[in-house]
Amino acid sequence: MHTNENVAIGLFKETMLKILLEPEEKKRIKKLGKLQEEMERYVLPIRELPGKERRKNISNKYKNNQKSSF
């Protein structure tokens, strides 16, 4: 199992700073638990691929074609 990385990064970067800056321990624990629950919603199953090897897509040869997630 793995997570949808774009969603996980977005949730993590917004919430983690708030958790670190929270002075009360009980609120930090609650926020951390809530963050974990939200991230668990986006867990994706690992797909079984056919036995054949994938062909490389020549159009994605250069990294400029791929957008970063954040």
Side-chain angles (χ1 to χ4, degrees):
M1 296 278 202
H2 67 281
T3 60
N4 184 335
E5 290 179 13
N6 285 338
V7 174
I9 290 170
L11 290 172
F12 186 78
K13 74 178 185 177
E14 291 176 6
T15 311
M16 198 59 186
L17 286 174
K18 292 177 183 177
I19 291 171
L20 292 173
L21 295 174
E22 179 62 49
E24 294 182 35
E25 185 177 358
K26 288 182 180 181
K27 287 184 180 181
R28 276 196 307 255
I29 293 170
K30 283 184 182 180
K31 287 182 180 183
L32 187 60
K34 187 176 179 182
L35 172 64
Q36 183 177 353
E37 288 175 10
E38 287 183 37
M39 290 179 80
E40 286 175 357
R41 286 187 209 156
Y42 297 100
V43 173
L44 303 173
I46 296 175
R47 293 184 288 157
E48 293 292 328
L49 298 176
K52 300 177 187 175
E53 286 188 33
R54 287 184 168 185
R55 292 183 183 177
K56 292 192 176 187
N57 188 352
I58 296 172
S59 65
N60 288 335
K61 182 176 179 181
Y62 301 102
K63 290 291 184 185
N64 290 337
N65 293 337
Q66 298 176 355
K67 303 281 185 194
S68 63
S69 61
F70 47 89

